[in-house]
Amino acid sequence: MSEIAIQTRGLTRRFGREPRGVLAVDDLSLTVEAGQVYGFLGPNGAGKTTTIRMLLDLVRPTRGEAFIFGRSPSRDHDVLRRVGAQVEDATFYPYLSARRNLQVLAETGGVDASKRIEMLLEQAGLAKRARDRVGGYSTGMKQRLGLAAALLLDPDLLLLDEPTSGMDPAGMASVREFIKSLPAQGKTVFLSSHLLREVEQVCDRVAIINHGRLVAEGPVQDLLDKRQDALLDVQVLPLEPARAALADWSPVDHASQAGWLTLPGAADDAPAVARRLVEAGVDVHQIVRRRQTLEDVFFAVMKDEPDDAH
């Protein structure tokens, strides 16, 4: 039987008093098995960072419990020695070098990590800039240093909150491959991110929360298989008349590029879609069929949520 790295039972956090207080996390129950890369998804304000802070005992729950490797971090702080974390923006001493910042962290933790520091600087792509002051680093470089810091004491569990924020595509790809390699080293990763395509590529299992409540959870492939319908991406001009012409086709308006609509449909539906758009005076530039992605699942789940879910 696999060890349980993270478990929450009815985890709830309210800021302020009822009824005006903000219910940031609402009766959240999760189980994360050791050795997984587990994605934790939700829109801004969904309660992701508050949940991570409760796991680290930086914020106390209003009610409910959280456990790390079967132990409560609020009652047994020693279990947090098995945890490395990068929560929100990484912060370091700007007047010290990257190497010296990591050395200070190691000294604070009471360990000699000189060899590990050099290895982590290399893995983070910072070896050539290790002697430079961190104050001159870009946001992406600071994020990579934050990831190295989270791994400094060789933890069994990593809690990562938007670890690729501010990175260029090459940096994101490098971190993605690095995170994928961690379970083979016996580590568990709890990853909060807005980059759904990245999450789809690295995570074994995901949870989606909204207004602090769990709205979907399971293996990535299972969530994709539950919505097996193909999609049609339609490039049109002008957009608004196209949206009106396809209103009864339930278009999904989260396509990443202007001038595109996404709607459910198979390849056989493409001619009917094209005819309807042309009859409405809309120019059709492309119709592309594709399978659903985690991004599509996310937006479908959010669409199914009532506006007053909070």
Side-chain angles (χ1 to χ4, degrees), residues 90-268:
T91 303
F92 297 96
Y93 296 109
Y95 50 85
L96 296 181
S97 69
R99 181 180 287 110
R100 184 57 186 150
N101 266 284
L102 294 181
Q103 288 171 345
V104 169
L105 285 173
E107 291 164 5
T108 302
V111 299
D112 180 6
S114 53
K115 292 183 180 179
R116 187 165 179 80
I117 286 172
E118 297 309 313
M119 178 192 72
L120 290 171
L121 287 169
E122 184 68 37
Q123 290 180 336
L126 296 172
K128 294 181 179 179
R129 299 285 304 274
R131 298 175 63 181
D132 295 352
R133 292 184 178 183
V134 171
Y137 276 18
S138 67
T139 301
M141 292 173 68
K142 290 177 182 176
Q143 289 295 97
R144 293 203 297 275
L145 183 57
L147 186 57
L151 285 160
L152 182 59
L153 301 184
D154 199 16
D156 298 311
L157 171 64
L158 274 176
L159 305 180
L160 303 179
D161 191 6
E162 303 291 347
T164 57
S165 175
M167 289 188 184
D168 59 23
M172 290 166 57
S174 175
V175 169
R176 179 176 66 236
E177 293 306 311
F178 184 47
I179 290 174
K180 287 169 66 175
S181 74
L182 292 174
Q185 302 174 35
K187 302 190 186 303
T188 305
V189 182
F190 189 75
L191 172 64
S192 172
S193 177
H194 287 105
L195 302 176
L196 302 180
R197 293 181 184 178
E198 295 286 314
V199 169
E200 184 175 347
Q201 293 181 65
V202 303
C203 291
D204 306 297
R205 195 176 185 97
V206 299
I208 301 174
I209 66 170
N210 191 30
H211 298 304
R213 298 183 303 107
L214 183 67
V215 295
E217 198 276 344
V220 171
Q221 194 56 53
D222 285 1
L223 293 177
L224 296 176
D225 290 344
K226 285 180 181 178
R227 298 178 180 269
Q228 292 182 348
D229 293 340
L231 296 172
L232 295 176
D233 286 335
V234 187
Q235 187 181 25
V236 295
L237 190 72
L239 185 60
E240 289 307 319
R243 186 179 286 117
L246 298 172
D248 61 337
W249 216 301
S250 302
V252 181
D253 297 330
H254 68 266
S256 59
Q257 298 178 3
W260 287 84
L261 285 177
T262 300
L263 60 153
D268 292 345

Side-chain angles (χ1 to χ4, degrees), residues 63-82:
R63 61 178 180 273
E65 296 180 290
F67 299 93
I68 303 292
F69 296 111
R71 297 154 66 184
S72 168
S74 63
R75 296 192 294 270
D76 186 356
H77 277 190
D78 283 347
V79 73
L80 293 177
R81 294 180 180 274
R82 300 181 66 182

